[in-house]
């Protein structure tokens, strides 16, 4: 489009149009930057809520975890499912793993039950994410070892038994067996009370209808024995 400016008024009008267009673009750019900065600030603030959970006292962290798991369950069964809060459950588990064992046991009673349900979700993507998250947490926990006469490993690994028993997906059951095999390969020296859960999973795997699951469990048992 070509503008013809024949009078001073036309020139002024044309200049205003150009200036207004440039101003609008500048304002849009500034607004975009403000929104981006605001979004980043919100993300940082939200992250601080979860990372700061390690400073809560015993009763407060239990209430915090219970509420978060409740929200997570609502998200998992929304349409479409969302896994934001499930990811945050994993994060606060990491942040609070250094608590005294009695406090951690109360936390895990809630978190473990949540993983039991999430890992048996009808959508395989959700259950896969839950099992993989559980695997990562378990590896971190097993690295700490276990004191004599304590049974925290048994509590921590219990969800794998429940998932193996209740999940009808052979893909997820295969993943559970592979997780347990990985624990044995990487952390056998640190496993104490967790052996009961491990052999329980292998026992269920031995009766599985999927030949690959049976063979994998048998191979791992052979290495242990």
């Amino acid at each position: 489009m070509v503008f013809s400016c024949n009078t001073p008024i036309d020139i002024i009008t044309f200049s205003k149009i150009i200036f207004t267009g440039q101003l609008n673009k500048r304002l849009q750019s500034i607004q975009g930057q403000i929104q981006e900065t605001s979004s980043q600030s919100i993300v940082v603030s939200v992250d601080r809520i979860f990372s700061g959970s390690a400073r809560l006292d015993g009763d407060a962290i239990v209430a915090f975890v219970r509420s978060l798991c409740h929200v997570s369950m609502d998200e998992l069964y929304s349409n479409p499912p969302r896994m934001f809060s499930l990811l945050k459950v994993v994060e606060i588990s990491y942040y609070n793993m250094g608590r005294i064992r009695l406090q951690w046991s109360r936390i895990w009673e809630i978190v473990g039950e949540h993983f039991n349900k999430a890992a048996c979700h009808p959508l395989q993507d959700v259950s896969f994410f839950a099992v993989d998250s559980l695997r990562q947490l378990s590896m971190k926990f097993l690295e700490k070892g276990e004191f004599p006469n304590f049974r925290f490993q048994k509590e921590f690994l219990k969800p794998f038994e429940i998932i193996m028993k209740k999940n009808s997906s052979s893909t997820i059951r295969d993943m559970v067996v592979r997780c347990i095999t990985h624990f044995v390969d990487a952390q056998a020296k640190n496993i104490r009370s967790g052996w009961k859960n491990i052999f329980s999973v292998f026992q269920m795997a031995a009766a599985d209808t999927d030949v690959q699951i049976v063979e994998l469990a048998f191979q791992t048992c052979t290495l242990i024995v």
Side-chain angles (χ1 to χ4, degrees), residues 46-198:
V46 170
D47 286 341
R48 285 177 179 171
I49 293 174
F50 296 101
S51 61
S53 65
R55 295 190 294 272
L56 296 174
D57 63 34
D59 292 334
I61 185 60
V62 169
F64 184 88
V65 170
R66 182 178 288 110
S67 298
L68 181 60
C69 288
H70 181 77
V71 172
S72 174
M73 191 55 62
D74 287 343
E75 287 185 352
L76 292 179
Y77 283 90
S78 62
N79 188 20
R82 299 189 303 275
M83 290 184 280
F84 174 81
S85 293
L86 180 58
L87 178 60
K88 293 305 177 183
V89 170
V90 176
E91 289 182 9
I92 64 170
S93 297
Y94 276 118
Y95 293 140
N96 290 275
M97 200 172 284
R99 287 179 178 267
I100 61 173
R101 293 301 196 222
L102 292 178
Q103 286 186 358
W104 174 249
S105 182
R106 293 176 64 197
I107 294 171
W108 188 250
E109 183 179 356
I110 301 168
V111 174
E113 179 62 24
H114 185 61
F115 273 114
N116 292 342
K117 296 175 181 177
C120 293
H121 193 280
L123 289 182
Q124 188 167 291
D125 287 346
V126 175
S127 55
F128 188 94
F129 179 83
V131 174
D132 187 59
S133 299
L134 186 60
R135 175 191 62 80
Q136 295 178 51
L137 284 173
S138 298
M139 278 296 294
K140 190 71 174 178
F141 189 79
L142 289 173
E143 288 175 2
K144 295 177 175 293
E146 185 177 58
F147 294 116
N149 301 319
F150 280 75
R151 297 291 182 270
F152 291 113
Q153 289 182 356
K154 182 180 176 182
E155 295 176 14
F156 204 97
L157 297 179
K158 184 67 175 178
F160 288 103
E161 289 186 67
I162 296 174
I163 297 165
M164 189 70 185
K165 182 178 181 180
K166 293 187 176 181
N167 199 306
S168 59
S169 169
S170 60
T171 301
I172 299 301
R173 295 198 307 276
D174 180 86
M175 185 179 181
V176 168
V177 175
R178 292 183 184 279
C179 288
I180 296 297
T181 299
H182 181 59
F183 299 155
V184 173
D185 289 341
Q187 297 294 335
K189 65 180 184 299
N190 289 329
I191 299 174
R192 298 291 184 271
S193 64
W195 283 115
K196 183 180 185 301
N197 311 87
I198 289 172

Side-chain angles (χ1 to χ4, degrees), residues 1-47:
M1 181 181 293
V2 179
F3 289 93
S4 177
C5 302
N6 299 320
T7 67
I9 294 178
D10 291 336
I11 294 174
I12 293 172
T13 302
F14 180 71
S15 298
K16 286 182 178 180
I17 293 173
I18 297 298
F19 176 76
T20 302
Q22 292 176 341
L23 181 60
N24 287 337
K25 288 182 180 179
R26 181 59 178 166
L27 287 174
Q28 289 175 358
S29 176
I30 293 173
Q31 288 174 348
Q33 292 174 3
I34 292 174
Q35 290 175 352
E36 182 178 355
T37 302
S38 177
S39 298
Q40 291 174 350
S41 298
I42 292 173
V43 170
V44 171
S45 298
V46 170
D47 286 341

